[in-house]
Amino acid sequence: LEEITPRRVQDTRNILKQGYLEKRSREHSFFGSEWQKRWCVLNRRTFYYYANEKSKQPKGNFSIEHYSARLAFHLRKDSRKRCCFELICPGKRTYEFTAPSPAEAEDWVDQIQFLLKDLSSLTIPYDEEDEEDPYNDVDSSDSMNTTSHNTTLNQDEPNVEMEEDDIYEVLPGEQPNKQ
């Protein structure tokens, strides 16, 4: 798991979406829960919220992995109810937000769902740092498959004794075929 470190708004890299939202506070007052205006920033794995866009330290942040996002019109009874959405994760805190407009709420939900789908997919995201050889990953599942594939091939060969060392010998100048 990636450790979440607080960052200044300006220093946050890989920002997918940012803007002002109203966030429902966790504490409930005598009059109900309060909505507080927060500058929110969504990056590749983390949702940050700040007091404003010039803040140096976030008021809070959480990894969005395993969360789900959905529109939540039930959060408010006023004219802004169509601007509400929530982030839910079983066993964790639910975060409730109000966007400036219904279209903005939908866009936040769409961006978060897209990111969550990307995080849960088996596709390895392309990184500029990996430009030289994006498939040069020693611990990849392909390496494991190749090993088990070779074992299967050896078992299919008739009359091969597994104790013989020369079965696994690679001759000088020969390299196994890599795709």
Side-chain angles (χ1 to χ4, degrees):
L1 292 173
E2 176 183 298
E3 184 177 6
I4 300 173
T5 55
R7 297 180 177 158
R8 291 176 46 156
V9 175
Q10 297 84 352
D11 295 342
T12 306
R13 296 187 305 148
N14 303 314
I15 294 173
L16 300 177
K17 184 147 181 75
Q18 61 185 343
Y20 278 105
L21 296 172
E22 288 182 22
K23 183 182 126 340
R24 185 179 261 179
S25 66
R26 200 183 331 199
E27 297 86 34
H28 297 282
S29 69
F30 177 72
F31 301 106
S33 59
E34 283 188 35
W35 292 92
Q36 300 166 327
K37 189 174 180 180
R38 296 285 181 241
W39 180 256
C40 298
V41 177
L42 175 66
N43 79 6
R44 290 165 73 185
R45 290 184 179 231
T46 310
F47 192 104
Y48 296 91
Y49 51 96
Y50 299 82
N52 60 54
E53 62 185 299
K54 293 182 173 45
S55 296
K56 295 181 192 232
Q57 291 294 320
K59 299 265 274 163
N61 63 58
F62 58 97
S63 170
I64 65 158
E65 213 164 356
H66 307 297
Y67 269 83
S68 63
R70 67 178 182 197
L71 294 172
F73 302 152
H74 66 278
L75 295 178
R76 293 178 83 134
K77 305 290 183 230
D78 62 9
S79 62
R80 304 207 41 220
K81 68 181 183 181
R82 294 200 155 287
C83 303
C84 297
F85 67 96
E86 60 189 357
L87 297 172
I88 304 161
C89 182
K92 292 188 180 181
R93 177 182 173 190
T94 295
Y95 291 89
E96 302 168 331
F97 297 97
T98 302
S101 70
E104 266 298 295
E106 285 181 40
D107 192 43
W108 276 96
V109 169
D110 289 347
Q111 288 289 330
I112 293 165
Q113 286 177 338
F114 177 78
L115 183 58
L116 292 169
K117 184 178 174 185
D118 188 47
L119 285 174
S120 66
S121 76
L122 299 175
T123 306
I124 299 170
Y126 176 76
D127 232 345
E128 288 179 21
E129 297 169 10
D130 298 336
E131 221 171 77
E132 294 167 17
D133 187 4
Y135 301 104
N136 188 13
D137 186 358
V138 176
D139 296 324
S140 73
S141 60
D142 289 342
S143 297
M144 296 172 126
N145 289 344
T146 303
T147 303
S148 63
H149 181 67
N150 288 342
T151 303
T152 305
L153 286 176
N154 288 336
Q155 290 171 351
D156 291 341
E157 293 176 18
N159 301 327
V160 174
E161 301 227 0
M162 296 307 275
E163 287 102 45
E164 291 180 15
D165 290 334
D166 64 331
I167 292 173
Y168 300 103
E169 184 177 339
V170 176
L171 298 175
E174 289 187 8
Q175 291 292 323
N177 290 338
K178 289 188 179 181
Q179 295 178 356

